[in-house]
Amino acid sequence: MATINDNYLKLKAGYLFPEIARRVNTFVESNPEAKIIKLGIGDVTEPLPEACRTAMIKAVEDMGDRSTFKGYGPEQGYGWLREKIAAQDFQARGCDIDASEIFVSDGAKCDTGNILDIFGKNNKIAVTDPVYPVYVDTNVMAGHTGETNDKGEYNGLVYLPISADNNFIADIPTEKVDLIYLCFPNNPTGATATKAYLKAWVDYAKANDSIIFFDAAYEAFITDDSLPHSIYEIEGAKDCAIEFRSFSKNAGFTGTRCAFTVVPKQLTAKAADGSEVELWKLWNRRQSTKFNGVSYIVQRGAEAVYSDAGKAQIKALVDFYLENAKIICEQLKSAGFEVYGGINAPYIWLKTPHNLSSWDFFDKLLQTTHVVGTPGSGFGAAGEGYFRISAFNSRENVQEAMKRITAQFKA
Ligand code: MLT
């Protein structure tokens, strides 16, 4: 009989968001009249920007004419998209990133998991707690951890706790780790990182020969001009960081699928024989073998994000969700909740009232207000007693959800 990857048996029952969906479905089955408002998974609700739609329609037409038809594209993404990304997302901010260092993909979630393909089995890996669960689960699947302890933490990972006590900003570790996942603006807490803070991480990584995986999927939500959008705004980061970006949350591509990963050519890690190997070459090899690129049509849609019309439409989209976040923060505060995030990020992180556990609060919120959020404990042991509300929804739904929550919880 064939055997399985036993590491999968170490995973907790289900991925967080399917588990939430399962609980909501069970509730709806016995309460079919309930008007559920979902502020759980960070999935966008507003239509794709017109500039992107127009570009994709034109691209569909291109596919209907032999002279402009496209078959397999470059596995790394089309040059015209990579050039625009390099120029506008990086060079315009003073980051010396070349188009050849950009790898267009179908998602930052996929890439943060796939990147482990090019790293060894014995790296010491640090994650914050709470954390985006994909970073942890993909390491479990790859066999980089042991079993969980009674708190649900995997043996073998280094957890860096974040809480209100450290403003949801992890202390730089005192021990040596090889791979570090950072996400700013942060999912789930909505916390942001200053340049000085990222500089401390870059200094740490360079001193310890570590690699930082920097997830900047939410950079478009930064409104404070002093905050960095990319880790490459920090001197030295090209020697120690891989950055993940996405068109999901800025341009509404969660269903359309387009993202990119930046692997600087000078970035190296050690082979078993002690030699230093360029990570760019390995990632290029991995993508060329396991991935056939994002569709031409979708890449044309992503390219339109960088047009004047696209930029204006994306700003309007992001502003719309940020206004939702502001409404959520204000309303929750007025109802007596202790609230974090939601200013430079689409996520609001709150302390559960009366010391309820995260899942108990989830159930209570669902049953009494028919509003769905995400239990903080689903992001890690240190998320217990917290809860995440997403600002991705229509204004009408956000206002209605807040009306129900304030009516239910106002002291
Ligand atoms: C979330 O809710 O945390 C996000 O939707 C995760 C993701 O983008 O994969």
Side-chain angles (χ1 to χ4, degrees):
M1 189 183 277
T3 59
I4 59 155
N5 175 353
D6 278 275
N7 295 310
Y8 276 65
L9 303 181
K10 296 179 199 159
L11 292 164
K12 280 177 251 158
Y15 182 56
L16 175 61
F17 296 107
E19 171 60 18
I20 290 173
R22 194 190 60 74
R23 290 196 187 210
V24 173
N25 289 342
T26 306
F27 178 78
V28 169
E29 268 166 33
S30 34
N31 300 273
E33 76 299 339
K35 289 203 165 37
I36 303 285
I37 299 178
K38 292 183 180 169
L39 301 177
I41 190 166
D43 193 6
V44 295
T45 55
E46 302 309 296
L48 282 179
E50 193 193 343
C52 302
R53 293 198 316 266
T54 306
M56 285 194 270
I57 290 166
K58 159 84 175 50
V60 170
E61 294 302 334
D62 290 348
M63 297 298 269
D65 182 329
R66 184 171 288 113
S67 69
T68 46
F69 171 80
K70 299 277 184 293
Y72 291 128
E75 294 91 351
Q76 303 79 358
Y78 283 101
W80 34 260
L81 176 56
R82 299 167 88 196
E83 292 287 351
K84 291 201 175 65
I85 293 170
Q88 296 197 31
D89 282 330
F90 297 100
Q91 291 157 12
R93 292 192 174 276
C95 310
D96 177 24
I97 295 294
D98 187 74
S100 62
E101 296 173 308
I102 311 281
F103 290 83
V104 176
S105 77
D106 60 345
K109 171 179 167 179
C110 324
D111 281 0
T112 55
N114 292 336
I115 197 76
L116 295 175
D117 274 10
I118 65 167
F119 286 92
K121 294 274 173 230
N122 296 317
N123 287 305
K124 198 162 216 192
I125 298 161
V127 292
T128 62
D129 181 9
V131 72
Y132 180 41
V134 170
Y135 311 154
V136 172
D137 285 2
T138 52
N139 273 290
V140 177
M141 291 170 177
H144 297 168
T145 72
E147 302 287 344
T148 44
N149 64 18
D150 51 6
K151 278 162 68 186
E153 296 168 336
Y154 286 95
N155 293 321
L157 289 183
V158 175
Y159 288 91
L160 308 174
I162 52 175
S163 68
D165 295 342
N166 57 10
N167 289 320
F168 302 98
I169 294 293
D171 293 341
I172 310 286
T174 44
E175 65 186 301
K176 183 173 161 31
V177 297
D178 303 302
L179 302 174
I180 305 134
Y181 290 83
L182 295 179
C183 173
F184 289 108
N186 186 252
N187 178 13
T189 66
T192 50
T194 62
K195 282 189 179 156
Y197 179 66
L198 291 188
K199 173 84 170 67
W201 272 112
V202 167
D203 289 348
Y204 169 90
K206 289 187 70 163
N208 290 283
D209 280 335
S210 333
I211 302 285
I212 297 172
F213 294 153
F214 191 73
D215 185 347
Y218 299 95
E219 61 77 34
F221 293 83
I222 294 174
T223 51
D224 178 340
D225 288 340
S226 72
L227 297 174
H229 288 240
S230 165
I231 195 157
Y232 304 118
E233 290 177 55
I234 312 303
E235 204 191 325
K238 277 186 77 181
D239 295 324
C240 62
I242 291 175
E243 183 163 305
F244 302 93
R245 290 277 191 108
S246 173
F247 294 101
S248 284
K249 311 295 160 99
N250 61 349
F253 274 46
T254 54
T256 310
R257 309 308 306 151
C258 200
F260 59 92
T261 288
V262 187
V263 186
K265 289 210 167 128
Q266 66 212 61
L267 203 55
T268 60
K270 209 167 261 174
D273 66 3
S275 60
E276 280 191 36
V277 177
E278 289 164 41
L279 292 172
W280 184 94
K281 283 192 180 153
L282 298 190
W283 185 244
N284 191 47
R285 185 71 173 82
R286 190 262 172 218
Q287 291 298 83
S288 312
T289 304
K290 290 196 178 181
F291 186 57
N292 256 338
V294 175
S295 83
Y296 169 71
I297 297 160
V298 168
Q299 289 192 65
R300 281 294 185 202
E303 183 193 26
V305 163
Y306 297 94
S307 65
D308 288 344
K311 280 190 273 198
Q313 289 159 18
I314 272 144
K315 182 172 182 323
L317 253 187
V318 168
D319 285 350
F320 174 82
Y321 291 125
L322 282 173
E323 181 63 22
N324 280 351
K326 189 167 167 226
I327 293 167
I328 294 169
C329 286
E330 284 169 1
Q331 294 290 308
L332 291 177
K333 279 184 194 160
S334 81
F337 285 92
E338 197 179 312
V339 172
Y340 303 92
I343 296 172
N344 293 285
Y347 295 125
I348 294 89
W349 187 245
L350 60 94
K351 188 96 196 70
T352 59
H354 312 299
N355 289 323
L356 282 176
S357 78
S358 299
W359 276 111
D360 283 351
F361 182 67
F362 173 92
D363 289 333
K364 182 167 174 153
L365 199 65
L366 179 59
Q367 281 153 20
T368 58
T369 68
H370 306 163
V371 173
V372 179
T374 309
S377 56
F379 298 99
E384 181 56 276
Y386 287 95
F387 198 78
R388 194 192 75 176
I389 303 269
S390 155
F392 292 114
N393 214 311
S394 65
R395 183 63 42 77
E396 195 190 350
N397 276 348
V398 164
Q399 282 167 336
E400 173 61 22
M402 290 307 115
K403 200 167 113 196
R404 293 185 202 167
I405 293 177
T406 47
Q408 177 67 30
F409 290 93
K410 206 155 193 156

